[in-house]
Amino acid sequence: MTRTIVASATREVVIGFDQPFCVIGERINPTGRKKLAAEMIEGNFDTVIKDALEQVAAGATMLDVNAGVTAVNPNETEPPLLVQTLEIVQNLVDVPLSIDSSVTAAIEAALKVAKGRPLINSVTGEEEKLEAILPLCKKYDVPVVAISNDETGISMDPDVRFAVAKKIVERAADYGIKPHDIVVDPLVMPIGALGSAGLQVFALLRRLREELKVNTTCGLSNISFGLPHRHGINAGFIPMVIGAGMTSAIMNPCRPQEMEAVRAANVLNGTDQNCGTWIMTYRDYKSAEGGPAAVSPASAASAGRRGGRAARAGAAARME
Amino acid sequence: MTRTIVASATREVVIGFDQPFCVIGERINPTGRKKLAAEMIEGNFDTVIKDALEQVAAGATMLDVNAGVTAVNPNETEPPLLVQTLEIVQNLVDVPLSIDSSVTAAIEAALKVAKGRPLINSVTGEEEKLEAILPLCKKYDVPVVAISNDETGISMDPDVRFAVAKKIVERAADYGIKPHDIVVDPLVMPIGALGSAGLQVFALLRRLREELKVNTTCGLSNISFGLPHRHGINAGFIPMVIGAGMTSAIMNPCRPQEMEAVRAANVLNGTDQNCGTWIMTYRDYKSAEGGPAAVSPASAASAGRRGGRAARAGAAARME
C-alpha cells in the first residue's frame, strides 16, 4: 500500500488510497493576489496568519506555503521571504506544510528550517528541475509533487503525461527515492476548453495508481475555469477524482461546498470510519434548500419510502 | 456501444455510457406516502399530476409510475389503478415512463396502454419473476430493470450480486432479449450500516459495464439512509457512480443539490456537449455561500490565480 508520510513538528499525516482525502490549502500564495503580495513585501503577515488559521479551521489537512511575490531577482529575495513565511505558519498551526516555489534556493532554505516532514511543491520532467530538486528530496528525506510536464510543455495526450510521470518516478529511483515519496500531478485542463478533460484525468489517475502505484494531487479548481458556478463543478469533480484514485488536492478549504464533497467522498470511499467525521460535521445541519421541505409531509413520506427500501436491504443482509 | 432506448409517444431517450445520466423521477409512488395512497384510492390524482409536472420541470429524464396503494388483493385492484395513473401521466408530460409494480398483471395492463417504449421496473433473479416478466419484455419489446437479488435475498457479497445479474442477462437471452434491454440494479446498501457499500457498488458497476456491457440504475438515496444531511451524501455519491459507469438512477429530481451533482458529473463525464446544459442552468447562479465572497478582493484574486494556472495549461495546449 502506497503511503506518503508528511509531518509537522508533532503531527504525522499519511497520504494514501486507504486514507481520508488530503486537502492541501492553497490560500497562502501571493500569485495573482496583489494585496497579499504587497503585504508580504512590506513584512506584513496578517493575511498569511488569517489564511493559515481559517484554512485549518475549515478542515485543511496540510497547508501550501508560497512566497513568490515578485519576478525581479527571486533567487535573492524569495529564499528569506519563504523562510519567514514558513516559520510564521509552522509556529502558528500544527499541520504539515507544502513548500511551494519555483526557486530551488528558496526550497532548500525552507527545507533547512522546516519542522517535521514537509512536501516539496514541485518538480517537473524538465532535466534542469529534476537535477535541482531530486537531490534535495534525497538529502532532506522529503516527498515531492511531480508535475507531468517537461521541456516540451504540457501535452494534450494523456499517454505522454503518463510517460513524463513515469520518467520522474524512474529518475527519482536513481537517487534512491521511492515511488511512495512521489505525489504525481497529472495536470487538469479546464473542462470548458477541453470536453474530454475529465475522462482524461480519470483514466490517468487509474493508471498512476495501478501501474506506478503513486499518490496523486492536482490544482483542483483548474477544472472549472471559465464556467459559471465553479463551486458546483468543483464539488462534482472531487468525488469523481477520489473515485478514480486521487489522494490529495491543492484547493481552497474555505469553500463549504467543496469541503462537503470531500467529506461525502471520504464516507463513500470507506475512509471516514463509521462516518464519524460526517456525522460530527453535519449532525445539526439545516440545509438552505431543505429547511422548510425537510419537515413537509411529502418529504417525511419520501424519507419513509427510502427507509422501506433500505430496511428491506438491511433485513436481507441480516438473514445471510 | 450499449444503448437502451426508451420513448414516450413522441420523444426517444437513449440510456448509455456516452449519454447524459438518465434521471428517473421517483415521486409518483404511494409506498410510504399515506396521503398519496389515500388520494389515489379515492381517485384523486392531484398529487400525481403535481409530482409529474414538478419532476419534469426539475429535469427528470423519465418518470417512474407506481400505484401500489395496498397489500389487500393487489392482483385485482392494482392493474386498473396503475393503468389510470399511467394514462394521466402520459397525457400530461412527454417523457418516457417506467412501469413500476410487483404485480405482473398490473405491469401487463400498463404495457397494453403505454405509448412509446416504457421501461419495466422490475424483474429479479427469482425464478417466478423471471418466468413472469421476461415474456412480457419480449412480447411488448421493452427494456427491463433487473434487480440483483434472488430467492435467497440480497447477498452482501458483490460477487453473488454480479452472478445474479449475469443469470438474468443469460435468461433474458434465452427469450431473445438483448443485454442492451436489461438495466441492472446492483443494489445499493446504506453506507451508514456498511462502510464498504460504496466501494462494493463502484466495483460492481465497472464489472457490469465491462463484462456484461449493460446499463445500470439504482435507488439512489438508499446510500445515505440513517445519516444526517442526506442530500450531501447523495450529491457526492452521484458523481462517483457516474464515474464508475452507472447510467441512470431512480431518484428525486426536485432536490437541487442532487440535480446539480448530476449536471456537474455530465459535464465532467463529457456528456454535456460544450457544457451547454450547465451554462444554461447556472449562468446567472448566485451561490448562497459565495454571494458576498464572490466579489471580495481575496476571492477575485483567487480566481485570477486559478486563471493563471489554467491559462498556462491552455497556452501549452495551443502550442502542440
Side-chain angles (χ1 to χ4, degrees), chain A residues 129-163:
Chain A
K129 277 283 179 190
L130 291 165
E131 286 166 21
I133 303 299
L134 293 179
L136 293 181
C137 297
K138 182 62 185 171
K139 179 176 174 188
Y140 292 90
D141 183 30
V142 293
V144 64
V145 171
I147 303 185
S148 51
N149 70 297
D150 62 14
E151 288 84 356
T152 64
I154 298 171
S155 174
M156 295 303 288
D157 180 347
D159 288 344
V160 173
R161 301 217 294 283
F162 180 83

PDB file of all heavy atoms in Angstrom, chain A residues 129-163:
ATOM      1  N   LYS A 129      15.075  20.846 -13.701  1.00  0.00           N
ATOM      2  CA  LYS A 129      14.300  20.701 -12.458  1.00  0.00           C
ATOM      3  C   LYS A 129      14.647  19.401 -11.746  1.00  0.00           C
ATOM      4  O   LYS A 129      14.836  19.363 -10.524  1.00  0.00           O
ATOM      5  CB  LYS A 129      12.795  20.704 -12.776  1.00  0.00           C
ATOM      6  CG  LYS A 129      12.199  22.077 -12.917  1.00  0.00           C
ATOM      7  CD  LYS A 129      11.983  22.702 -11.542  1.00  0.00           C
ATOM      8  CE  LYS A 129      11.400  24.091 -11.655  1.00  0.00           C
ATOM      9  NZ  LYS A 129      11.409  24.771 -10.351  1.00  0.00           N
ATOM     10  N   LEU A 130      14.685  18.316 -12.524  1.00  0.00           N
ATOM     11  CA  LEU A 130      14.995  17.008 -11.935  1.00  0.00           C
ATOM     12  C   LEU A 130      16.337  17.056 -11.213  1.00  0.00           C
ATOM     13  O   LEU A 130      16.473  16.583 -10.078  1.00  0.00           O
ATOM     14  CB  LEU A 130      15.036  15.929 -13.036  1.00  0.00           C
ATOM     15  CG  LEU A 130      13.689  15.581 -13.685  1.00  0.00           C
ATOM     16  CD1 LEU A 130      13.899  14.790 -14.978  1.00  0.00           C
ATOM     17  CD2 LEU A 130      12.816  14.787 -12.719  1.00  0.00           C
ATOM     18  N   GLU A 131      17.311  17.674 -11.877  1.00  0.00           N
ATOM     19  CA  GLU A 131      18.657  17.707 -11.304  1.00  0.00           C
ATOM     20  C   GLU A 131      18.762  18.658 -10.108  1.00  0.00           C
ATOM     21  O   GLU A 131      19.644  18.506  -9.253  1.00  0.00           O
ATOM     22  CB  GLU A 131      19.675  18.090 -12.394  1.00  0.00           C
ATOM     23  CG  GLU A 131      19.907  16.936 -13.357  1.00  0.00           C
ATOM     24  CD  GLU A 131      20.643  17.366 -14.627  1.00  0.00           C
ATOM     25  OE1 GLU A 131      21.311  18.419 -14.621  1.00  0.00           O
ATOM     26  OE2 GLU A 131      20.531  16.625 -15.634  1.00  0.00           O
ATOM     27  N   ALA A 132      17.880  19.632 -10.055  1.00  0.00           N
ATOM     28  CA  ALA A 132      17.906  20.572  -8.924  1.00  0.00           C
ATOM     29  C   ALA A 132      17.128  20.042  -7.724  1.00  0.00           C
ATOM     30  O   ALA A 132      17.591  20.155  -6.579  1.00  0.00           O
ATOM     31  CB  ALA A 132      17.309  21.921  -9.364  1.00  0.00           C
ATOM     32  N   ILE A 133      15.968  19.461  -7.981  1.00  0.00           N
ATOM     33  CA  ILE A 133      15.038  19.135  -6.883  1.00  0.00           C
ATOM     34  C   ILE A 133      15.249  17.736  -6.291  1.00  0.00           C
ATOM     35  O   ILE A 133      15.203  17.551  -5.070  1.00  0.00           O
ATOM     36  CB  ILE A 133      13.570  19.304  -7.353  1.00  0.00           C
ATOM     37  CG1 ILE A 133      13.313  20.731  -7.862  1.00  0.00           C
ATOM     38  CG2 ILE A 133      12.591  18.937  -6.237  1.00  0.00           C
ATOM     39  CD1 ILE A 133      13.533  21.820  -6.827  1.00  0.00           C
ATOM     40  N   LEU A 134      15.470  16.738  -7.162  1.00  0.00           N
ATOM     41  CA  LEU A 134      15.561  15.370  -6.631  1.00  0.00           C
ATOM     42  C   LEU A 134      16.675  15.210  -5.584  1.00  0.00           C
ATOM     43  O   LEU A 134      16.453  14.545  -4.557  1.00  0.00           O
ATOM     44  CB  LEU A 134      15.691  14.350  -7.775  1.00  0.00           C
ATOM     45  CG  LEU A 134      14.433  14.228  -8.662  1.00  0.00           C
ATOM     46  CD1 LEU A 134      14.648  13.217  -9.785  1.00  0.00           C
ATOM     47  CD2 LEU A 134      13.195  13.873  -7.849  1.00  0.00           C
ATOM     48  N   PRO A 135      17.844  15.840  -5.796  1.00  0.00           N
ATOM     49  CA  PRO A 135      18.870  15.722  -4.742  1.00  0.00           C
ATOM     50  C   PRO A 135      18.408  16.305  -3.403  1.00  0.00           C
ATOM     51  O   PRO A 135      18.787  15.808  -2.337  1.00  0.00           O
ATOM     52  CB  PRO A 135      20.059  16.517  -5.309  1.00  0.00           C
ATOM     53  CG  PRO A 135      19.853  16.493  -6.784  1.00  0.00           C
ATOM     54  CD  PRO A 135      18.373  16.521  -6.989  1.00  0.00           C
ATOM     55  N   LEU A 136      17.568  17.343  -3.448  1.00  0.00           N
ATOM     56  CA  LEU A 136      17.045  17.919  -2.205  1.00  0.00           C
ATOM     57  C   LEU A 136      16.094  16.952  -1.510  1.00  0.00           C
ATOM     58  O   LEU A 136      16.099  16.823  -0.277  1.00  0.00           O
ATOM     59  CB  LEU A 136      16.319  19.241  -2.482  1.00  0.00           C
ATOM     60  CG  LEU A 136      17.169  20.413  -2.973  1.00  0.00           C
ATOM     61  CD1 LEU A 136      16.297  21.652  -3.173  1.00  0.00           C
ATOM     62  CD2 LEU A 136      18.303  20.703  -1.979  1.00  0.00           C
ATOM     63  N   CYS A 137      15.260  16.265  -2.313  1.00  0.00           N
ATOM     64  CA  CYS A 137      14.344  15.262  -1.730  1.00  0.00           C
ATOM     65  C   CYS A 137      15.151  14.203  -1.002  1.00  0.00           C
ATOM     66  O   CYS A 137      14.797  13.781   0.108  1.00  0.00           O
ATOM     67  CB  CYS A 137      13.534  14.568  -2.826  1.00  0.00           C
ATOM     68  SG  CYS A 137      12.459  15.671  -3.730  1.00  0.00           S
ATOM     69  N   LYS A 138      16.234  13.771  -1.651  1.00  0.00           N
ATOM     70  CA  LYS A 138      17.062  12.723  -1.059  1.00  0.00           C
ATOM     71  C   LYS A 138      17.765  13.235   0.199  1.00  0.00           C
ATOM     72  O   LYS A 138      17.722  12.604   1.261  1.00  0.00           O
ATOM     73  CB  LYS A 138      18.089  12.253  -2.102  1.00  0.00           C
ATOM     74  CG  LYS A 138      18.982  11.138  -1.623  1.00  0.00           C
ATOM     75  CD  LYS A 138      18.168   9.879  -1.295  1.00  0.00           C
ATOM     76  CE  LYS A 138      19.053   8.798  -0.702  1.00  0.00           C
ATOM     77  NZ  LYS A 138      18.237   7.666  -0.191  1.00  0.00           N
ATOM     78  N   LYS A 139      18.391  14.422   0.053  1.00  0.00           N
ATOM     79  CA  LYS A 139      19.180  14.961   1.154  1.00  0.00           C
ATOM     80  C   LYS A 139      18.330  15.201   2.405  1.00  0.00           C
ATOM     81  O   LYS A 139      18.746  14.884   3.522  1.00  0.00           O
ATOM     82  CB  LYS A 139      19.835  16.276   0.704  1.00  0.00           C
ATOM     83  CG  LYS A 139      20.672  16.969   1.780  1.00  0.00           C
ATOM     84  CD  LYS A 139      21.372  18.212   1.194  1.00  0.00           C
ATOM     85  CE  LYS A 139      22.083  19.001   2.282  1.00  0.00           C
ATOM     86  NZ  LYS A 139      22.591  20.303   1.768  1.00  0.00           N
ATOM     87  N   TYR A 140      17.129  15.761   2.208  1.00  0.00           N
ATOM     88  CA  TYR A 140      16.277  16.098   3.364  1.00  0.00           C
ATOM     89  C   TYR A 140      15.235  15.010   3.649  1.00  0.00           C
ATOM     90  O   TYR A 140      14.422  15.172   4.556  1.00  0.00           O
ATOM     91  CB  TYR A 140      15.611  17.463   3.148  1.00  0.00           C
ATOM     92  CG  TYR A 140      16.622  18.597   3.172  1.00  0.00           C
ATOM     93  CD1 TYR A 140      17.260  19.024   2.002  1.00  0.00           C
ATOM     94  CD2 TYR A 140      16.971  19.203   4.378  1.00  0.00           C
ATOM     95  CE1 TYR A 140      18.207  20.035   2.027  1.00  0.00           C
ATOM     96  CE2 TYR A 140      17.927  20.221   4.410  1.00  0.00           C
ATOM     97  CZ  TYR A 140      18.542  20.637   3.236  1.00  0.00           C
ATOM     98  OH  TYR A 140      19.480  21.631   3.265  1.00  0.00           O
ATOM     99  N   ASP A 141      15.259  13.929   2.836  1.00  0.00           N
ATOM    100  CA  ASP A 141      14.315  12.819   3.007  1.00  0.00           C
ATOM    101  C   ASP A 141      12.870  13.308   3.074  1.00  0.00           C
ATOM    102  O   ASP A 141      12.150  13.074   4.048  1.00  0.00           O
ATOM    103  CB  ASP A 141      14.659  12.005   4.276  1.00  0.00           C
ATOM    104  CG  ASP A 141      13.733  10.799   4.424  1.00  0.00           C
ATOM    105  OD1 ASP A 141      13.272  10.276   3.390  1.00  0.00           O
ATOM    106  OD2 ASP A 141      13.467  10.399   5.575  1.00  0.00           O
ATOM    107  N   VAL A 142      12.459  14.011   2.020  1.00  0.00           N
ATOM    108  CA  VAL A 142      11.082  14.521   1.971  1.00  0.00           C
ATOM    109  C   VAL A 142      10.420  14.122   0.646  1.00  0.00           C
ATOM    110  O   VAL A 142      11.100  13.917  -0.363  1.00  0.00           O
ATOM    111  CB  VAL A 142      11.036  16.071   2.096  1.00  0.00           C
ATOM    112  CG1 VAL A 142      11.483  16.505   3.490  1.00  0.00           C
ATOM    113  CG2 VAL A 142      11.868  16.736   1.014  1.00  0.00           C
ATOM    114  N   PRO A 143       9.091  14.015   0.638  1.00  0.00           N
ATOM    115  CA  PRO A 143       8.372  13.713  -0.601  1.00  0.00           C
ATOM    116  C   PRO A 143       8.231  14.948  -1.482  1.00  0.00           C
ATOM    117  O   PRO A 143       8.435  16.077  -1.017  1.00  0.00           O
ATOM    118  CB  PRO A 143       7.008  13.227  -0.106  1.00  0.00           C
ATOM    119  CG  PRO A 143       6.827  13.879   1.222  1.00  0.00           C
ATOM    120  CD  PRO A 143       8.189  14.092   1.809  1.00  0.00           C
ATOM    121  N   VAL A 144       7.839  14.707  -2.740  1.00  0.00           N
ATOM    122  CA  VAL A 144       7.770  15.815  -3.703  1.00  0.00           C
ATOM    123  C   VAL A 144       6.571  15.638  -4.634  1.00  0.00           C
ATOM    124  O   VAL A 144       6.211  14.516  -4.989  1.00  0.00           O
ATOM    125  CB  VAL A 144       9.087  15.897  -4.513  1.00  0.00           C
ATOM    126  CG1 VAL A 144       9.309  14.644  -5.369  1.00  0.00           C
ATOM    127  CG2 VAL A 144       9.141  17.140  -5.397  1.00  0.00           C
ATOM    128  N   VAL A 145       5.965  16.773  -4.987  1.00  0.00           N
ATOM    129  CA  VAL A 145       4.931  16.777  -6.029  1.00  0.00           C
ATOM    130  C   VAL A 145       5.628  16.757  -7.380  1.00  0.00           C
ATOM    131  O   VAL A 145       6.512  17.578  -7.630  1.00  0.00           O
ATOM    132  CB  VAL A 145       4.035  18.033  -5.926  1.00  0.00           C
ATOM    133  CG1 VAL A 145       3.109  18.136  -7.136  1.00  0.00           C
ATOM    134  CG2 VAL A 145       3.240  18.018  -4.621  1.00  0.00           C
ATOM    135  N   ALA A 146       5.212  15.822  -8.248  1.00  0.00           N
ATOM    136  CA  ALA A 146       5.810  15.703  -9.582  1.00  0.00           C
ATOM    137  C   ALA A 146       4.769  16.078 -10.632  1.00  0.00           C
ATOM    138  O   ALA A 146       3.797  15.356 -10.841  1.00  0.00           O
ATOM    139  CB  ALA A 146       6.287  14.271  -9.814  1.00  0.00           C
ATOM    140  N   ILE A 147       4.988  17.220 -11.271  1.00  0.00           N
ATOM    141  CA  ILE A 147       4.031  17.694 -12.277  1.00  0.00           C
ATOM    142  C   ILE A 147       4.409  17.101 -13.635  1.00  0.00           C
ATOM    143  O   ILE A 147       5.569  17.159 -14.044  1.00  0.00           O
ATOM    144  CB  ILE A 147       4.021  19.237 -12.323  1.00  0.00           C
ATOM    145  CG1 ILE A 147       3.687  19.793 -10.925  1.00  0.00           C
ATOM    146  CG2 ILE A 147       3.019  19.744 -13.356  1.00  0.00           C
ATOM    147  CD1 ILE A 147       3.542  21.300 -10.872  1.00  0.00           C
ATOM    148  N   SER A 148       3.409  16.548 -14.314  1.00  0.00           N
ATOM    149  CA  SER A 148       3.697  15.750 -15.515  1.00  0.00           C
ATOM    150  C   SER A 148       3.822  16.582 -16.789  1.00  0.00           C
ATOM    151  O   SER A 148       3.186  16.296 -17.798  1.00  0.00           O
ATOM    152  CB  SER A 148       2.653  14.649 -15.667  1.00  0.00           C
ATOM    153  OG  SER A 148       1.348  15.167 -15.581  1.00  0.00           O
ATOM    154  N   ASN A 149       4.654  17.609 -16.729  1.00  0.00           N
ATOM    155  CA  ASN A 149       5.040  18.285 -17.969  1.00  0.00           C
ATOM    156  C   ASN A 149       6.558  18.303 -18.036  1.00  0.00           C
ATOM    157  O   ASN A 149       7.247  18.037 -17.046  1.00  0.00           O
ATOM    158  CB  ASN A 149       4.493  19.713 -18.019  1.00  0.00           C
ATOM    159  CG  ASN A 149       5.173  20.624 -17.029  1.00  0.00           C
ATOM    160  OD1 ASN A 149       5.069  20.404 -15.827  1.00  0.00           O
ATOM    161  ND2 ASN A 149       5.890  21.631 -17.516  1.00  0.00           N
ATOM    162  N   ASP A 150       7.097  18.593 -19.225  1.00  0.00           N
ATOM    163  CA  ASP A 150       8.558  18.681 -19.373  1.00  0.00           C
ATOM    164  C   ASP A 150       8.915  19.854 -20.280  1.00  0.00           C
ATOM    165  O   ASP A 150       8.101  20.761 -20.454  1.00  0.00           O
ATOM    166  CB  ASP A 150       9.124  17.345 -19.866  1.00  0.00           C
ATOM    167  CG  ASP A 150       8.579  16.965 -21.231  1.00  0.00           C
ATOM    168  OD1 ASP A 150       7.977  17.836 -21.922  1.00  0.00           O
ATOM    169  OD2 ASP A 150       8.748  15.796 -21.624  1.00  0.00           O
ATOM    170  N   GLU A 151      10.114  19.824 -20.854  1.00  0.00           N
ATOM    171  CA  GLU A 151      10.588  20.947 -21.671  1.00  0.00           C
ATOM    172  C   GLU A 151       9.628  21.270 -22.818  1.00  0.00           C
ATOM    173  O   GLU A 151       9.586  22.401 -23.305  1.00  0.00           O
ATOM    174  CB  GLU A 151      11.973  20.648 -22.271  1.00  0.00           C
ATOM    175  CG  GLU A 151      13.118  20.661 -21.276  1.00  0.00           C
ATOM    176  CD  GLU A 151      13.289  19.338 -20.533  1.00  0.00           C
ATOM    177  OE1 GLU A 151      12.471  18.425 -20.725  1.00  0.00           O
ATOM    178  OE2 GLU A 151      14.249  19.247 -19.728  1.00  0.00           O
ATOM    179  N   THR A 152       8.876  20.252 -23.274  1.00  0.00           N
ATOM    180  CA  THR A 152       8.002  20.473 -24.431  1.00  0.00           C
ATOM    181  C   THR A 152       6.659  21.066 -24.011  1.00  0.00           C
ATOM    182  O   THR A 152       5.786  21.273 -24.845  1.00  0.00           O
ATOM    183  CB  THR A 152       7.757  19.146 -25.179  1.00  0.00           C
ATOM    184  OG1 THR A 152       7.033  18.258 -24.296  1.00  0.00           O
ATOM    185  CG2 THR A 152       9.060  18.496 -25.586  1.00  0.00           C
ATOM    186  N   GLY A 153       6.483  21.330 -22.724  1.00  0.00           N
ATOM    187  CA  GLY A 153       5.219  21.902 -22.244  1.00  0.00           C
ATOM    188  C   GLY A 153       4.305  20.833 -21.688  1.00  0.00           C
ATOM    189  O   GLY A 153       4.750  19.769 -21.261  1.00  0.00           O
ATOM    190  N   ILE A 154       3.010  21.141 -21.679  1.00  0.00           N
ATOM    191  CA  ILE A 154       2.009  20.195 -21.178  1.00  0.00           C
ATOM    192  C   ILE A 154       1.390  19.515 -22.384  1.00  0.00           C
ATOM    193  O   ILE A 154       0.781  20.167 -23.220  1.00  0.00           O
ATOM    194  CB  ILE A 154       0.900  20.938 -20.396  1.00  0.00           C
ATOM    195  CG1 ILE A 154       1.501  21.647 -19.177  1.00  0.00           C
ATOM    196  CG2 ILE A 154      -0.198  19.966 -19.980  1.00  0.00           C
ATOM    197  CD1 ILE A 154       0.524  22.575 -18.477  1.00  0.00           C
ATOM    198  N   SER A 155       1.529  18.216 -22.469  1.00  0.00           N
ATOM    199  CA  SER A 155       0.954  17.519 -23.619  1.00  0.00           C
ATOM    200  C   SER A 155      -0.544  17.364 -23.457  1.00  0.00           C
ATOM    201  O   SER A 155      -1.043  17.124 -22.356  1.00  0.00           O
ATOM    202  CB  SER A 155       1.592  16.147 -23.776  1.00  0.00           C
ATOM    203  OG  SER A 155       0.928  15.440 -24.804  1.00  0.00           O
ATOM    204  N   MET A 156      -1.271  17.483 -24.560  1.00  0.00           N
ATOM    205  CA  MET A 156      -2.706  17.211 -24.533  1.00  0.00           C
ATOM    206  C   MET A 156      -2.965  15.711 -24.546  1.00  0.00           C
ATOM    207  O   MET A 156      -4.084  15.271 -24.351  1.00  0.00           O
ATOM    208  CB  MET A 156      -3.387  17.844 -25.757  1.00  0.00           C
ATOM    209  CG  MET A 156      -3.332  19.351 -25.764  1.00  0.00           C
ATOM    210  SD  MET A 156      -4.063  20.058 -24.258  1.00  0.00           S
ATOM    211  CE  MET A 156      -5.799  19.732 -24.589  1.00  0.00           C
ATOM    212  N   ASP A 157      -1.929  14.933 -24.832  1.00  0.00           N
ATOM    213  CA  ASP A 157      -2.062  13.478 -24.911  1.00  0.00           C
ATOM    214  C   ASP A 157      -1.786  12.891 -23.524  1.00  0.00           C
ATOM    215  O   ASP A 157      -0.666  12.961 -23.017  1.00  0.00           O
ATOM    216  CB  ASP A 157      -1.053  12.944 -25.937  1.00  0.00           C
ATOM    217  CG  ASP A 157      -1.121  11.434 -26.084  1.00  0.00           C
ATOM    218  OD1 ASP A 157      -1.765  10.766 -25.236  1.00  0.00           O
ATOM    219  OD2 ASP A 157      -0.517  10.923 -27.045  1.00  0.00           O
ATOM    220  N   PRO A 158      -2.804  12.299 -22.895  1.00  0.00           N
ATOM    221  CA  PRO A 158      -2.595  11.794 -21.535  1.00  0.00           C
ATOM    222  C   PRO A 158      -1.528  10.697 -21.469  1.00  0.00           C
ATOM    223  O   PRO A 158      -0.884  10.541 -20.428  1.00  0.00           O
ATOM    224  CB  PRO A 158      -3.976  11.262 -21.108  1.00  0.00           C
ATOM    225  CG  PRO A 158      -4.802  11.219 -22.342  1.00  0.00           C
ATOM    226  CD  PRO A 158      -4.199  12.138 -23.345  1.00  0.00           C
ATOM    227  N   ASP A 159      -1.321   9.967 -22.568  1.00  0.00           N
ATOM    228  CA  ASP A 159      -0.265   8.948 -22.564  1.00  0.00           C
ATOM    229  C   ASP A 159       1.106   9.598 -22.412  1.00  0.00           C
ATOM    230  O   ASP A 159       2.001   9.056 -21.760  1.00  0.00           O
ATOM    231  CB  ASP A 159      -0.298   8.125 -23.860  1.00  0.00           C
ATOM    232  CG  ASP A 159      -1.506   7.195 -23.902  1.00  0.00           C
ATOM    233  OD1 ASP A 159      -2.115   6.962 -22.831  1.00  0.00           O
ATOM    234  OD2 ASP A 159      -1.839   6.730 -24.997  1.00  0.00           O
ATOM    235  N   VAL A 160       1.268  10.760 -23.016  1.00  0.00           N
ATOM    236  CA  VAL A 160       2.537  11.484 -22.881  1.00  0.00           C
ATOM    237  C   VAL A 160       2.690  11.979 -21.438  1.00  0.00           C
ATOM    238  O   VAL A 160       3.771  11.867 -20.848  1.00  0.00           O
ATOM    239  CB  VAL A 160       2.616  12.660 -23.885  1.00  0.00           C
ATOM    240  CG1 VAL A 160       3.853  13.516 -23.619  1.00  0.00           C
ATOM    241  CG2 VAL A 160       2.613  12.135 -25.315  1.00  0.00           C
ATOM    242  N   ARG A 161       1.609  12.474 -20.853  1.00  0.00           N
ATOM    243  CA  ARG A 161       1.690  12.949 -19.470  1.00  0.00           C
ATOM    244  C   ARG A 161       2.020  11.776 -18.528  1.00  0.00           C
ATOM    245  O   ARG A 161       2.804  11.917 -17.590  1.00  0.00           O
ATOM    246  CB  ARG A 161       0.386  13.646 -19.039  1.00  0.00           C
ATOM    247  CG  ARG A 161       0.040  14.848 -19.935  1.00  0.00           C
ATOM    248  CD  ARG A 161      -0.582  16.009 -19.197  1.00  0.00           C
ATOM    249  NE  ARG A 161      -1.888  15.756 -18.641  1.00  0.00           N
ATOM    250  CZ  ARG A 161      -3.037  15.732 -19.329  1.00  0.00           C
ATOM    251  NH1 ARG A 161      -3.026  15.930 -20.649  1.00  0.00           N
ATOM    252  NH2 ARG A 161      -4.179  15.531 -18.718  1.00  0.00           N
ATOM    253  N   PHE A 162       1.426  10.602 -18.819  1.00  0.00           N
ATOM    254  CA  PHE A 162       1.758   9.423 -18.015  1.00  0.00           C
ATOM    255  C   PHE A 162       3.242   9.094 -18.161  1.00  0.00           C
ATOM    256  O   PHE A 162       3.933   8.784 -17.180  1.00  0.00           O
ATOM    257  CB  PHE A 162       0.909   8.216 -18.444  1.00  0.00           C
ATOM    258  CG  PHE A 162       1.198   6.974 -17.658  1.00  0.00           C
ATOM    259  CD1 PHE A 162       0.604   6.770 -16.425  1.00  0.00           C
ATOM    260  CD2 PHE A 162       2.097   6.017 -18.128  1.00  0.00           C
ATOM    261  CE1 PHE A 162       0.885   5.634 -15.675  1.00  0.00           C
ATOM    262  CE2 PHE A 162       2.391   4.881 -17.389  1.00  0.00           C
ATOM    263  CZ  PHE A 162       1.783   4.693 -16.150  1.00  0.00           C
ATOM    264  N   ALA A 163       3.743   9.164 -19.391  1.00  0.00           N
ATOM    265  CA  ALA A 163       5.158   8.841 -19.648  1.00  0.00           C
ATOM    266  C   ALA A 163       6.080   9.805 -18.899  1.00  0.00           C
ATOM    267  O   ALA A 163       7.127   9.404 -18.378  1.00  0.00           O
ATOM    268  CB  ALA A 163       5.439   8.867 -21.150  1.00  0.00           C
TER     269      ALA A 163
END
